[in-house]
Amino acid sequence: MPRSSSRHRPATAAAAAACLALVGSALVAQPAVAADDVLDPSTTLYVDWTSSTLEHAAGLDGEERDDALLLASVPTATWFTSGTPAQVQAEVDALVGAAAAQGAVPTVVAYNLPFRDCAQYSAGGARDTAEYAAWIDGVAAGIGDREAIVVLEPDGLGIIPWYTPVGATSPEWCQPAELDPATAAADRFTQLNHAVDALTALPQTAVYLDGTHTGWLSVGDVTDRLIKAGVESADGFFLNASNYQRTERLERYAGWVSDCLALSTSSEPSAEGYEPSMCGSQYFPASPDDLATWDMTDAKFDEDFAATGLVRDRAAQKHAVLDTSRNGQGPWTPPAGVYPDPEDWCNPPDRGLGLLPTTDTGNPVIDALLWIKVPGESDGQCYRGLGGPLDPVRGIQDPPAGQWFPEQAAELLALAEQPLAEPTCAVRVDVRERHGLVRGKLRLTNTGTDTVSGWDLQFALPGDVTVERAWGAQVSQSGLVVTGRAPDHRADLRPGRSHTVGFLARGDLAAEPLLVLLDGEPCRVS
């Protein structure tokens, strides 16, 4: 899976800027496009009942399987990375439709830009601009008029082929020989602008572009790229995708990028001439590693708003979503002088899950904390500049990007900032299909210490399956999700006691139920 690499940090000189000496009456910065009422503190984020984490869990056993199922119970983004326009439309339609049936909002990651990740660990993507535009149109058609969050192209603005930042004299490190240096960067912005236009034309889609993170681009640099990519038509930007920067730093950075966008895109005459390069950042006047200096950048923005006569209004400015999937312990600091290329972004050891996904952030500039990166999936085979095949930090060979990494999943759970509760229920699943007839039994056991009253048991029947009859519970079905409510005569399930829910269904079952929730919390499944 992709990652945002902190090894491509700009020189801090590029972040330096002088204060504006503009004078004007009190004017209000242009309001941002609203997030289409998709995200508010009461929004329910969708748990994907056919997620890649569940696909991995199907091939695991023991504690590794338990870890994967526990992680699968948390709302996590679903990545779309390939396929024809028709294929991706069908896949997105299935996800968004399943979420709508649950009254929840899914997070869709579109990750198919030509030369994504500069053809490194997560190489792939569309062949050219036309193919990408058609693919994005397929994503948009799959969403339609239903609610969705779209994380548009992780690393899409952090790694741009043949791109020369404003103020630089030569292109950045990503220089594919297959691409024309004269047009490659412009093509990337054309691709992203088309994607923004196609997705924001939908009535209930919140769209966010790549804002990198606090250990990478300066505020002014990323703001300039966001503007070129069409952020003025989008809902905002996402930060920290597949990375480890701490939430409190990301919140400060998000506010600064929002401020920089407001100042740089204002149409008020008093702000004429204000450019992103004038914005303060984590690099200047602040020092990136000394949080005590970050107030200096806050003060710099205060001065710039005062000088332009604009009024900061972060509720109306562009907003951000943050990836907290693996940032509970912050970024890894490699030992000095040990590895030629430490690859600190690549499966770093001893990291932990961050804060759980939520739209109730209490911060006017942060629309949501999301799990964008799928925790437990590998970043790639990390050699730290030593040639491999082993990861010298771990002494083992890491799985390829996107494959399950049991050791890392266990670390993330053990060192979580907001620990996931151990299951207090167990379910033995027995599902059999023959000639389109599906018979199933789920034996539920209360393994906790408290009586569970009036319980709900939820599980999914992936595929085209319709429940026709059930016993042991009052059963209803919404899409692929089946809910069994406690019968009146067995409303209480005491510790150590068991109860069986059975059903008869017809259709084509794609996979056995793996994720089972009791009152919204995961059970151990066998």
Side-chain angles (χ1 to χ4, degrees):
M1 299 298 284
R3 76 291 178 278
S4 295
S5 171
S6 61
R7 57 184 168 158
H8 311 304
R9 286 166 49 161
T12 55
C19 295
L20 282 179
L22 302 176
V23 179
S25 59
L27 300 169
V28 179
Q30 283 190 308
V33 177
D36 299 314
D37 297 324
V38 173
L39 299 178
D40 61 49
S42 65
T43 297
T44 299
L45 296 172
Y46 181 60
V47 173
D48 185 356
W49 292 85
T50 59
S51 67
S52 61
T53 303
L54 288 172
E55 292 177 0
H56 297 306
L60 302 171
D61 53 30
E63 291 186 6
E64 292 181 357
R65 189 172 190 254
D66 291 342
D67 287 348
L69 293 178
L70 189 57
L71 290 168
S73 71
V74 179
T76 303
T78 302
W79 291 66
F80 296 90
T81 62
S82 61
T84 66
Q87 287 169 336
V88 76
Q89 177 179 342
E91 292 169 0
V92 171
D93 174 69
L95 173 75
V96 178
Q102 297 295 302
V105 179
T107 299
V108 173
V109 179
Y111 187 61
N112 197 36
L113 277 171
F115 276 83
R116 68 182 184 208
D117 197 33
C118 204
Q120 298 185 107
Y121 286 87
S122 297
R127 288 175 295 183
D128 52 35
T129 298
E131 185 172 283
Y132 180 71
W135 186 85
I136 279 290
D137 290 347
V139 173
I143 295 172
D145 61 0
R146 297 164 298 190
E147 291 185 328
I149 304 162
V150 179
V151 172
L152 185 56
E153 299 295 346
D155 288 345
L157 291 176
I159 304 175
I160 303 174
W162 291 102
Y163 182 66
T164 301
V166 173
T169 57
S170 59
E172 294 179 327
W173 64 275
C174 180
Q175 302 177 14
E178 301 93 323
L179 296 182
D180 183 350
T183 60
D187 288 344
R188 171 62 56 87
F189 292 118
T190 296
Q191 293 151 10
L192 289 172
N193 271 276
H194 174 83
V196 169
D197 290 343
L199 293 164
T200 57
L202 304 175
Q204 297 192 89
T205 300
V207 181
Y208 301 88
L209 284 159
D210 177 27
T212 72
H213 59 70
T214 53
W216 197 351
L217 298 182
S218 71
V219 170
D221 190 357
V222 79
T223 297
D224 182 70
R225 300 181 194 210
L226 285 166
I227 293 170
K228 292 173 179 174
V231 74
E232 291 177 79
S233 297
D235 297 284
F237 49 94
F238 61 88
L239 301 179
N240 203 46
S242 302
N243 216 277
Y244 303 84
Q245 304 300 314
R246 289 192 179 275
T247 301
E248 59 268 28
R249 288 175 173 251
L250 296 168
E251 289 176 333
R252 297 281 292 275
Y253 182 80
W256 295 339
V257 174
S258 179
D259 289 348
C260 191
L261 283 166
L263 290 162
S264 302
T265 60
S266 174
S267 61
E268 298 297 344
S270 63
E272 184 178 353
Y274 195 99
E275 297 177 354
S277 62
M278 299 174 178
C279 294
S281 77
Q282 72 275 40
Y283 299 115
F284 180 86
S287 175
D289 298 323
D290 184 0
L291 279 178
T293 68
W294 284 33
D295 290 345
M296 298 168 63
T297 293
D298 290 332
K300 170 71 165 64
F301 278 105
D302 290 342
E303 293 169 1
D304 287 358
F305 274 102
T308 58
L310 299 178
V311 176
R312 177 191 284 114
D313 182 3
R314 287 182 172 176
Q317 295 169 193
K318 293 298 180 184
H319 292 177
V321 293
L322 314 181
D323 185 358
T324 59
S325 60
R326 304 188 298 178
N327 72 345
Q329 298 294 324
W332 175 52
T333 302
V338 175
Y339 306 115
D341 181 1
E343 295 179 322
D344 60 354
W345 51 267
C346 191
N347 299 329
D350 302 323
R351 301 304 93 195
L353 299 170
L355 296 175
L356 292 174
T358 181
T359 58
D360 189 4
T361 69
N363 186 324
V365 83
I366 308 298
D367 284 339
L369 307 182
L370 302 175
W371 282 11
I372 296 174
K373 166 70 178 183
V374 178
E377 290 187 348
S378 176
D379 294 313
Q381 294 180 311
C382 316
Y383 302 151
R384 321 288 175 192
L386 296 178
L390 300 183
D391 180 344
V393 171
R394 296 178 176 275
I396 60 175
Q397 185 169 347
D398 297 348
Q403 293 190 15
W404 195 250
F405 197 166
E407 293 83 357
Q408 187 185 72
E411 288 174 359
L412 292 171
L413 285 164
L415 298 172
E417 179 179 5
Q418 191 173 353
L420 301 185
E422 287 294 317
T424 58
C425 53
V427 175
R428 182 176 294 278
V429 176
D430 181 9
V431 176
R432 302 179 186 185
E433 179 186 5
R434 185 178 183 184
H435 303 309
L437 186 64
V438 182
R439 298 178 182 270
K441 292 191 300 183
L442 286 79
R443 184 169 177 79
L444 167 66
T445 301
N446 182 352
T447 59
T449 58
D450 298 323
T451 295
V452 181
S453 299
W455 47 267
D456 283 352
L457 193 69
Q458 278 191 313
F459 58 95
L461 295 176
D464 184 13
V465 179
T466 301
V467 174
E468 295 186 340
R469 188 161 61 88
W471 54 95
Q474 305 170 45
V475 169
S476 61
Q477 184 174 7
S478 179
L480 54 82
V481 178
V482 178
T483 300
R485 293 180 172 82
D488 293 339
H489 68 283
R490 291 296 302 272
D492 293 340
L493 188 63
R494 296 195 299 273
R497 294 298 183 90
S498 299
H499 182 78
T500 298
V501 177
F503 66 90
L504 180 66
R506 292 189 182 276
D508 182 16
L509 183 66
E512 286 192 1
L514 277 178
L515 179 62
V516 181
L517 304 181
L518 179 64
D519 292 339
E521 299 297 328
C523 298
R524 294 196 185 280
V525 176
S526 60

